[in-house]
C-alpha cells in the first residue's frame, strides 16, 4: 500500500507541478463559440466611437438593442452611441472580471479615443457552478485567486443554507484548481462560431434577439418550447418577484463583499471618466440579494426595471421568449423603459455621484 | 454519478481510503461500507430507484433460500417461477410496457381499430437490465444446484449492487463474485496498479475515442437526409467506434475500480473488432451478456445438441432476445436478427468454433486471409450498428438506402466543412486501433505496454494519456449502455 500510494502521489504531484508551471508560462486562452464575440467586443480599440456600453448576460445580449436605445434617447435630446457587450451564460463575478479587463485595456487607449461616458452594467445573480458545467472552460477561465476570494467571501455572506454555501464554495475552489493546474495550455478546441456577423447580431452592434438566436441555437428553441408547454412557471416566478419587491427587509439580504466590489467598480470607472450604472432586469428567479445589495449603493447608480407591479408587460407571456427572456416585442418595450430611466438619471442637472 | 465525472473522482478516493484504512479490520465492515457506497452511488441518479433495487435484492435472496430449502421439484419450480416472473415483470413494466402497448395499437390499427392505449410516463431505472440479470443468474444457479444460497444478506446485496458493475455490468455470476465477497481481501500493489492502468485506458476509450466519435456520429445520423453515401458510411463508422469505446471503456473502468478494492470481475470485451467471423465477434463483445444468454437460455433450449434446425432456431431466439434486451424498439430486434443471420453460415456448417484464439497469435501481422476475414466481419458489424443507432426502422432503412449509392466511394468530406476536423478523430481512432492490435493478447490493450521500460518512460506514456483525456473532456457524456 505504501509503495502504491507513494507512486500515486508522486505521479499526481509531478503532473500538478508541470501543469502549474506551464499554465503560468502559457496563460489560459478561453475558446468557445462565444470567444470571437468576446475577443472582438472586449478589444477596447473598436469601441472608440461609442459613448455608452452594455455589459451583462444573455438578458443584456437579447434584450438591449443599441439602435432602439439610442433612438429613444434622441427623442429626449440625449445623444448616445451605444454598443451591446452582453455574453450569454455569464455570472456576476465573470461580468465583473471582464469589465475590469476591459477597463485595463481602455486605460491604455490614447486620450482622444476615450469617449466612453456610460457603462450600463447588468446586475444579476452570482450562483453556484453546476456540477455538469464544472469542467467547461467557460466556468473557470475567469476564476483567478482574486475572484476565488471574492466567491468565498460572497458565499459566506449570502443568506443561503449551509449546504448550498458548501456547494458553491467547493464549485469555485474546483474551478480555481482547474484554472491553475488543469491542462489549459493545450487547447485544440476550435471556434464553432467564426462568423462575426453571427456573433454580433444582424445589426452589428451586439444585440441578438431571441428570435434571431433561435435560428442559430437549438438550446434557445428548446427553452422556448419548454416555456410554452407550461407558462404557469412564469406566473410563479412573477409572484416570487412581487414578494421580493414588497415588504422585504433589504438590509438582511445585503451582501457586503458584493457591495464593496461594486463600489470598487464604480470608483475604477469614475477614474476613467465613466459613469457606471447598474441595471436590474426582469425575469430573474430571485431578487432578494440583488435588491438588498443595490440599496447599499448610491441611488443614482441604479436602474431597476423589474418590479412586476410596475412593469407588468415585461412579465407577460405574449412578450416572452422563455421564462427568463423577452422576445423581440418585449425587448422593444424594455429598451423604451431603459431609455426613460437612463435619461431621467443622466439628464442635465442630474449629477451622477 | 458517471465514472467520467468530478463527483466520481471525489467519491472513489473517499471510499478507497475508508475501505483500506478505516474499515480494513473486518470483512463484515468492509462489505457494509461497499454496500452503503453502492447504494449512495445508485441514489445519485434517483433515490426512488433504491426501493426497486432493494426489492429486487430481497426477492432473489429469499427466493434463492426457498428454492434451496424446498424438498420437492414442484416447490422448487414454483419459487423459481415467482422470482423469474416478478423480475421480468419489473423489466416488462419499466422497460417494455410502452413498446408493447404501442406495438399492439399499431397492429390492431392495421385492421381499422383505434384502441385507446395509455402509455406510462416512467423513467427507466438505470441499470435495471443488469441487476435483474445478476439476480436471475443467482436463482438459476441455485435451482440448477450449482451453488448453495448465501446466508449473509449483506454479501448477497453487495453482489447485486456492487457499484462498479451496478449500472452497466459486467453481468456477474454468483459462482464467480460471491466467493470473493465472502473472503477477506488483501491489498496487492500489482493488482491496484493494474486497476489504475485499466481505469486510465477505459477513460481514454470513453472520453478521447467514444465522445469524439459521438460528436460526428450524432451530426451525421441526426441529419442523415443532408448527407450522401460515403458520408453516411463515415457516420456508421464513427458510431462503430463510439459504441466500442463507450461500452468497453466503461467495462475497463468497472474492472479497474473493482481491482482497487481487491475484486476481479468478469472480462467483458476482448478486442471484438479483430474477429474473423461473427461467432468470434460474439465471443469477444459484451462477453458477460453473451455467456449469460448461452448458459440460461441457449443451453436450456437444447443448445447445439439437436440437429441443424434446432441450432438455427435456438440461435435466432437468443439473438432476438439479446436485441430486445438492449431496448424496447424494433431497431434492436432487427439488429439482433441481423447478427443471427450473419452467424448462420457458421452455425449450419459447424464452423462457429473455428476461431477461438485471438487472431495472429504470436505474430505481428495477420495473414491476407485473416485480414480479409476481419474486414468482412467488421463490415457486417458496421452495417448492423446502423439499426442499433437509428431512431426507427424507417430511419435505418432510409439511411442504408442513401448510403448504398454510387456516392459511396466519393470523398466523404467534400462539401462538408463541418466534418473537416473529424479527420483528427479518425487519426486518433487509427492510433487507438494500433495500440489495441499491439495489445490484443492481453486482457486490455495497455496491460503490458511499456512494462519493461523504465519508470520515466512509462510515466510519460501515462501522462500523455492523461493529457489527451483532459483536453478531450469538455462535458460529461452519458454512457450508452446506461439506457439498457
Amino acid at each position: 500500500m505504501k509503495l502504491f500510494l507513494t507512486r500515486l502521489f508522486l505521479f499526481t504531484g509531478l503532473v500538478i507541478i508541470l501543469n502549474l508551471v506551464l499554465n503560468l508560462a502559457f496563460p489560459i486562452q478561453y475558446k468557445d463559440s462565444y470567444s470571437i464575440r468576446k475577443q472582438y467586443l472586449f478589444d477596447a480599440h473598436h469601441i472608440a466611437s461609442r459613448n455608452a456600453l452594455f455589459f451583462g448576460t444573455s438578458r443584456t445580449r437579447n434584450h438591449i438593442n443599441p439602435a432602439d436605445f439610442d433612438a429613444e434617447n434622441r427623442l429626449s435630446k440625449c445623444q448616445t452611441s451605444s454598443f451591446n457587450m452582453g455574453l450569454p451564460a455569464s455570472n456576476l463575478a465573470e461580468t465583473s472580471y471582464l469589465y475590469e479587463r476591459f477597463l485595463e485595456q481602455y486605460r491604455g487607449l490614447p486620450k482622444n479615443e476615450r469617449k466612453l461616458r456610460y457603462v450600463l452594467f447588468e446586475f444579476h445573480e452570482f450562483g453556484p457552478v453546476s456540477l455538469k458545467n464544472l469542467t467547461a472552460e467557460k466556468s473557470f477561465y475567469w476564476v483567478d485567486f482574486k475572484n476565488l476570494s471574492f466567491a468565498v467571501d460572497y458565499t459566506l455572506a449570502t443568506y443561503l443554507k449551509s449546504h448550498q454555501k458548501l456547494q458553491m464554495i467547493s464549485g469555485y475552489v474546483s474551478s480555481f484548481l482547474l484554472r491553475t493546474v488543469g491542462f489549459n495550455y493545450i487547447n485544440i478546441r476550435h471556434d464553432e462560431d467564426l462568423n462575426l456577423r453571427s456573433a454580433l447580431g444582424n445589426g452589428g452592434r451586439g444585440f441578438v434577439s431571441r428570435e434571431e438566436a433561435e435560428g442559430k441555437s437549438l438550446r434557445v428553441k428548446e427553452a422556448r418550447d419548454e416555456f410554452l408547454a407550461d407558462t404557469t412557471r412564469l406566473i410563479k416566478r412573477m409572484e416570487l418577484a412581487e414578494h421580493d419587491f414588497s415588504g422585504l427587509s433589504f438590509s438582511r439580504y445585503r451582501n457586503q463583499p458584493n457591495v464593496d466590489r461594486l463600489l470598487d467598480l464604480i470608483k475604477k470607472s469614475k477614474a476613467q471618466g465613466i459613469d457606471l450604472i447598474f441595471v436590474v432586469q426582469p425575469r430573474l428567479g430571485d431578487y432578494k440579494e440583488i435588491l438588498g445589495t443595490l440599496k447599499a449603493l448610491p441611488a443614482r447608480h441604479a436602474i431597476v426595471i423589474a418590479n412586476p407591479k410596475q412593469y407588468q408587460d415585461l412579465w407577460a407571456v405574449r412578450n416572452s421568449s422563455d421564462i427568463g427572456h423577452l422576445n423581440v416585442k418585449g425587448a422593444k418595450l424594455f429598451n423604451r423603459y431603459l431609455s426613460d430611466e437612463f435619461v431621467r438619471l443622466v439628464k442635465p442637472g442630474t449629477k451622477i455621484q | 454519478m458517471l465514472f467520467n465525472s468530478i463527483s466520481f473522482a471525489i467519491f472513489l478516493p473517499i471510499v478507497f481510503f475508508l475501505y483500506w484504512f478505516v474499515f480494513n479490520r473486518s470483512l463484515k465492515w468492509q462489505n457494509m461500507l461497499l454496500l452503503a457506497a453502492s447504494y449512495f452511488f445508485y441514489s445519485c441518479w434517483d433515490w426512488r430507484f433504491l426501493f426497486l433495487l432493494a426489492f429486487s435484492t430481497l426477492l432473489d435472496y429469499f427466493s434463492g433460500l426457498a428454492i434451496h430449502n424446498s424438498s420437492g421439484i414442484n416447490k422448487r419450480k414454483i419459487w423459481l417461477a415467482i422470482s423469474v416472473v416478478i423480475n421480468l415483470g419489473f423489466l416488462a413494466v419499466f422497460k417494455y410496457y410502452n413498446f408493447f402497448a404501442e406495438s399492439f395499437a399499431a397492429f390492431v390499427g392495421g385492421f381499422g381499430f383505434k384502441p385507446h392505449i395509455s402509455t406510462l410516463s416512467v423513467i427507466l431505472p438505470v441499470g435495471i437490465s443488469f441487476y435483474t440479470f445478476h439476480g436471475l443468474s443467482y436463482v438459476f444457479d441455485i435451482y440448477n444446484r450449482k451453488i448453495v444460497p448465501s446466508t449473509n444478506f449483506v454479501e448477497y446485496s453487495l453482489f447485486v449492487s456492487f457499484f462498479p458493475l451496478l449500472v452497466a455490468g459486467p453481468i456477474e455470476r454468483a459462482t464467480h463474485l460471491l466467493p470473493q465477497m465472502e473472503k477477506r481481501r488483501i491489498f496487492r500493489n500489482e493488482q491496484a496498479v493494474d486497476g489504475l492502468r485499466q481505469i486510465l485506458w477505459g477513460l481514454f476509450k470513453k472520453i478521447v475515442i467514444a465522445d469524439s466519435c459521438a460528436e460526428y456520429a450524432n451530426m451525421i445520423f441526426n441529419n442523415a437526409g443532408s448527407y450522401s453515401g460515403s458520408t453516411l458510411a463515415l457516420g456508421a463508422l464513427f458510431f462503430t467506434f463510439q459504441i466500442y469505446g463507450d461500452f468497453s471503456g466503461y467495462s475497463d473502468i468497472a474492472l479497474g475500480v473493482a481491482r482497487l478494492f481487491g475484486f476481479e470481475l468478469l472480462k467483458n470485451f476482448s478486442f471484438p473488432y479483430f474477429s474473423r467471423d461473427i461467432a468470434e465477434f460474439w465471443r469477444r463483445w459484451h462477453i458477460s451478456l453473451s455467456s449469460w444468454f448461452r448458459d440460461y437460455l441457449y443451453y436450456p433450449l437444447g443448445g447445439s445438441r439437436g440437429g441443424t434446425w434446432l441450432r438455427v432456431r435456438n440461435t435466432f431466439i437468443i439473438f432476438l432476445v439479446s436485441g430486445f434486451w438492449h431496448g424496447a424498439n424494433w431497431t434492436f430486434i432487427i439488429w439482433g436478427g441481423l447478427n443471427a443471420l450473419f452467424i448462420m453460415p457458421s452455425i449450419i456448417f459447424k464452423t462457429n468454433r473455428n476461431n477461438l484464439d485471438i487472431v495472429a497469435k504470436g505474430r505481428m501481422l495477420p495473414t491476407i486471409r485473416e485480414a480479409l476475414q476481419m474486414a468482412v466481419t467488421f463490415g457486417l458489424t458496421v452495417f448492423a450498428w446502423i439499426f442499433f443507432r437509428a431512431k426507427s426502422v424507417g430511419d435505418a432503412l432510409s439511411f442504408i438506402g442513401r448510403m448504398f449509392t454510387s456516392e459511396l466511394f466519393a470523398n466523404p468530406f467534400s462539401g462538408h466543412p463541418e466534418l473537416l476536423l473529424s479527420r483528427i478523430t479518425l487519426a486518433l481512432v487509427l492510433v487507438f486501433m494500433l495500440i489495441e492490435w499491439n495489445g490484443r493478447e492481453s486482457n486490455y490493450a495497455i496491460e503490458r505496454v511499456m512494462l519493461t521500460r523504465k519508470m520515466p518512460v512509462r510515466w510519460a506514456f501515462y501522462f500523455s494519456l492523461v493529457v489527451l483525456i483532459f483536453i478531450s473532456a469538455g462535458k460529461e457524456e452519458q454512457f450508452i449502455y446506461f439506457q439498457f
Side-chain angles (χ1 to χ4, degrees):
Chain A
M1 178 64 90
K2 200 175 161 188
L3 180 69
F4 175 74
L5 289 180
T6 309
R7 289 196 174 174
L8 185 63
F9 285 129
L10 190 63
F11 181 76
T12 315
L14 282 174
V15 172
I16 288 173
I17 291 167
L18 187 68
N19 282 4
L20 193 66
V21 172
L22 288 170
N23 279 332
L24 284 172
F26 308 101
I28 184 167
Q29 294 297 315
Y30 169 55
K31 286 177 110 181
D32 76 349
S33 55
Y34 296 116
S35 63
I36 282 277
R37 179 176 169 87
K38 188 167 74 68
Q39 280 162 17
Y40 180 74
L41 295 183
F42 292 86
D43 173 2
H45 288 275
H46 93 280
I47 53 98
S49 61
R50 310 290 175 187
N51 67 354
L53 293 181
F54 301 99
F55 278 81
T57 67
S58 59
R59 285 186 184 85
T60 295
R61 183 183 190 230
N62 302 143
H63 294 175
I64 300 177
N65 185 348
D68 285 354
F69 179 76
D70 292 347
E72 293 284 348
N73 290 345
R74 266 197 304 277
L75 294 176
S76 309
K77 305 212 175 345
C78 177
Q79 295 298 326
T80 51
S81 168
S82 62
F83 199 88
N84 186 332
M85 299 169 87
L87 272 182
S90 308
N91 78 28
L92 187 66
E94 182 186 357
T95 311
S96 305
Y97 169 85
L98 289 171
Y99 181 54
E100 281 167 351
R101 298 290 83 75
F102 169 81
L103 282 179
E104 282 168 16
Q105 282 190 53
Y106 184 75
R107 198 183 303 133
L109 289 181
K111 205 169 180 182
N112 61 342
E113 284 184 29
R114 285 188 275 159
K115 295 173 183 164
L116 206 52
R117 281 292 318 279
Y118 311 107
V119 165
L120 287 94
F121 187 107
E122 183 186 340
F123 189 4
H124 53 105
E125 304 106 319
F126 182 52
V129 189
S130 78
L131 211 53
K132 211 173 84 184
N133 296 327
L134 201 59
T135 52
E137 272 176 45
K138 176 89 170 78
S139 300
F140 65 76
Y141 79 98
W142 52 273
V143 188
D144 54 14
F145 188 72
K146 184 185 165 189
N147 276 297
L148 174 68
S149 307
F150 170 70
V152 172
D153 292 344
Y154 179 100
T155 308
L156 293 175
T158 56
Y159 68 95
L160 296 173
K161 290 181 178 148
S162 301
H163 73 274
Q164 291 170 310
K165 287 184 181 181
L166 187 68
Q167 189 197 349
M168 236 170 120
I169 290 176
S170 56
Y172 284 107
V173 170
S174 306
S175 295
F176 173 73
L177 291 175
L178 283 168
R179 186 186 193 270
T180 316
V181 294
F183 295 83
N184 309 314
Y185 48 91
I186 306 171
N187 197 329
I188 57 164
R189 283 194 198 103
H190 60 283
D191 286 313
E192 294 158 32
D193 192 355
L194 292 169
N195 186 332
L196 194 60
R197 184 183 164 82
S198 148
L200 298 183
N202 288 338
R205 290 170 72 177
F207 167 68
V208 181
S209 71
R210 289 302 279 185
E211 282 80 351
E212 193 185 330
E214 202 175 300
K216 291 166 191 157
S217 164
L218 192 64
R219 253 182 291 176
V220 176
K221 190 181 174 310
E222 282 170 355
R224 186 176 61 92
D225 291 345
E226 193 189 334
F227 167 69
L228 290 177
D230 179 16
T231 53
T232 56
R233 289 189 307 135
L234 178 62
I235 296 164
K236 282 179 198 146
R237 185 174 275 200
M238 192 168 85
E239 285 167 358
L240 281 175
E242 275 175 10
H243 176 261
D244 287 350
F245 273 94
S246 61
L248 260 180
S249 165
F250 291 117
S251 59
R252 190 183 151 206
Y253 295 104
R254 175 197 301 172
N255 190 303
Q256 196 55 45
N258 204 12
V259 171
D260 295 342
R261 180 154 197 190
L262 299 179
L263 284 172
D264 184 51
L265 284 182
I266 291 175
K267 201 171 131 192
K268 281 179 180 162
S269 305
K270 211 167 184 177
Q272 303 299 319
I274 300 168
D275 292 327
L276 184 62
I277 300 164
F278 296 105
V279 178
V280 180
Q281 293 220 23
R283 304 310 190 89
L284 300 183
D286 187 349
Y287 285 96
K288 288 189 277 296
E289 204 157 73
I290 289 175
L291 294 176
T293 304
L294 206 66
K295 292 278 173 193
L297 298 175
R300 286 182 180 170
H301 285 278
I303 291 176
V304 183
I305 307 174
N307 189 344
K309 281 195 174 147
Q310 203 178 343
Y311 299 101
Q312 225 163 20
D313 39 7
L314 296 181
W315 291 84
V317 173
R318 65 177 185 282
N319 293 325
S320 305
S321 169
D322 59 41
I323 189 166
H325 298 91
L326 299 167
N327 59 18
V328 75
K329 242 166 57 186
K332 195 118 187 138
L333 283 170
F334 180 77
N335 282 294
R336 201 161 71 219
Y337 296 137
L338 181 64
S339 166
D340 290 348
E341 290 298 307
F342 175 75
V343 171
R344 191 181 57 76
L345 213 62
V346 304
K347 68 183 175 189
T350 311
K351 202 175 166 194
I352 294 182
Q353 292 166 347
Chain B
M1 195 190 303
L2 301 173
F3 282 170
N4 54 329
S5 66
I6 298 272
S7 40
F8 189 74
I10 297 166
F11 167 83
L12 182 61
I14 293 173
V15 180
F16 179 86
F17 175 80
L18 292 173
Y19 183 80
W20 289 116
F21 292 99
V22 180
F23 293 83
N24 57 333
R25 297 263 167 96
S26 142
L27 173 69
K28 190 177 144 193
W29 280 104
Q30 275 190 326
N31 284 344
M32 293 274 273
L33 169 76
L34 287 182
L35 183 62
S38 300
Y39 268 63
F40 172 76
F41 176 81
Y42 196 59
S43 73
C44 290
W45 270 279
D46 194 326
W47 62 270
R48 289 168 300 183
F49 296 158
L50 285 178
F51 295 107
L52 199 61
L53 176 64
F55 180 80
S56 174
T57 307
L58 280 166
L59 172 74
D60 294 328
Y61 179 73
F62 287 110
S63 305
L65 286 173
I67 291 169
H68 182 72
N69 294 332
S70 300
S71 45
I73 184 75
N74 285 341
K75 273 190 177 175
R76 289 167 64 82
K77 275 187 179 165
I78 288 170
W79 280 111
L80 177 71
I82 289 173
S83 171
V84 171
V85 167
I86 298 178
N87 269 306
L88 295 184
F90 275 130
L91 262 188
V93 171
F94 282 101
K95 193 167 172 177
Y96 298 110
Y97 174 79
N98 288 349
F99 170 77
F100 284 126
E102 285 161 11
S103 297
F104 175 73
F107 177 72
V108 296
F111 296 99
F113 298 105
K114 284 184 180 168
H116 291 286
I117 301 284
S118 48
T119 52
L120 295 175
S121 61
V122 287
I123 314 163
L124 178 67
V126 67
I128 187 170
S129 306
F130 290 92
Y131 63 73
T132 301
F133 272 41
H134 274 143
L136 282 177
S137 80
Y138 173 75
V139 288
F140 283 144
D141 284 350
I142 293 171
Y143 180 79
N144 293 327
R145 299 188 196 279
K146 284 185 185 168
I147 52 167
V148 289
S150 168
T151 49
N152 185 322
F153 185 66
V154 173
E155 283 167 8
Y156 175 72
S157 303
L158 183 57
F159 157 71
V160 177
S161 61
F162 186 35
F163 71 87
L165 51 79
L166 178 57
V167 289
I171 300 168
E172 271 292 339
R173 303 300 181 81
T175 46
H176 180 248
L177 189 58
L178 255 179
Q180 297 183 57
M181 305 282 174
E182 293 159 359
K183 240 177 20 197
R184 191 174 166 80
R185 273 84 62 180
I186 298 157
F187 184 86
R188 287 190 294 120
N189 183 54
E190 304 74 39
Q191 190 186 34
V193 171
D194 198 42
L196 277 186
R197 205 166 24 234
Q198 194 161 8
I199 292 172
L200 184 66
W201 188 238
L203 286 170
F204 175 83
K205 279 178 172 177
K206 165 64 183 161
I207 295 170
V208 181
I209 301 300
D211 291 352
S212 309
C213 287
E215 191 181 340
Y216 298 105
N218 292 342
M219 193 186 284
I220 294 170
F221 271 89
N222 294 342
N223 304 289
S226 325
Y227 297 109
S228 56
S230 57
T231 316
L232 294 176
L234 183 71
L237 195 67
F238 274 127
F239 181 69
T240 300
F241 288 108
Q242 179 198 348
I243 192 155
Y244 175 57
D246 189 284
F247 192 23
S248 72
Y250 177 89
S251 297
D252 278 333
I253 300 169
L255 266 72
V257 169
R259 281 199 176 125
L260 290 179
F261 295 96
F263 292 94
E264 292 293 334
L265 301 183
L266 289 171
K267 191 174 171 183
N268 219 14
F269 286 85
S270 185
F271 311 99
Y273 289 156
F274 301 140
S275 302
R276 285 153 289 179
D277 57 46
I278 293 291
E280 187 187 1
F281 176 83
W282 280 103
R283 277 193 299 275
R284 298 183 176 282
W285 179 277
H286 204 174
I287 300 165
S288 64
L289 180 71
S290 309
S291 59
W292 197 100
F293 278 122
R294 182 196 63 206
D295 293 349
Y296 302 115
L297 189 61
Y298 187 69
Y299 288 163
L301 285 170
S304 51
R305 278 171 298 178
T308 306
W309 184 239
L310 195 71
R311 287 204 311 276
V312 168
R313 185 203 71 176
N314 292 347
T315 305
F316 261 104
I317 290 174
I318 64 158
F319 273 101
L320 291 175
V321 172
S322 168
F324 197 47
W325 177 90
H326 281 86
N329 194 329
W330 285 103
T331 51
F332 294 117
I333 297 172
I334 291 177
W335 169 75
L338 271 177
N339 276 286
L341 271 182
F342 295 157
I343 207 172
M344 241 354 103
S346 60
I347 295 292
I348 293 169
F349 298 111
K350 295 186 180 175
T351 57
N352 55 316
R353 298 187 66 79
N354 273 7
N355 298 312
L356 294 177
D357 266 342
I358 188 74
V359 64
K361 193 174 180 185
R363 287 178 279 131
M364 176 68 88
L365 294 171
T367 61
I368 293 173
R369 181 189 158 84
E370 285 170 338
L372 282 173
Q373 285 174 326
M374 281 194 292
V376 170
T377 309
F378 183 73
L380 291 174
T381 314
V382 174
F383 180 78
W385 285 133
I386 294 172
F387 282 91
F388 196 95
R389 172 61 179 78
K391 286 195 180 109
S392 66
V393 178
D395 282 0
L397 292 176
S398 148
F399 190 99
I400 292 164
R402 292 180 65 85
M403 193 171 92
F404 286 105
T405 58
S406 57
E407 296 284 306
L408 185 58
F409 301 101
N411 176 359
F413 307 103
S414 171
H416 299 297
E418 73 279 13
L419 293 174
L420 286 180
L421 283 167
S422 72
R423 287 178 295 189
I424 296 174
T425 305
L426 280 179
L428 277 170
V429 168
L430 184 67
V431 172
F432 163 64
M433 289 313 281
L434 286 174
I435 297 174
E436 287 262 300
W437 176 263
N438 183 52
R440 71 193 181 284
E441 290 180 35
S442 320
N443 282 313
Y444 59 95
I446 63 162
E447 187 183 23
R448 292 181 219 157
V449 172
M450 308 235 174
L451 279 190
T452 51
R453 301 291 174 94
K454 286 190 173 165
M455 201 166 74
V457 182
R458 223 164 49 232
W459 282 20
F461 173 67
Y462 300 147
F463 179 73
S464 60
L465 287 182
V466 171
V467 170
L468 279 170
I469 288 166
F470 271 87
I471 62 174
S472 304
K475 55 181 177 180
E476 292 167 10
E477 288 277 354
Q478 187 96 325
F479 287 89
I480 293 177
Y481 263 69
F482 284 10
Q483 62 188 298
F484 300 138

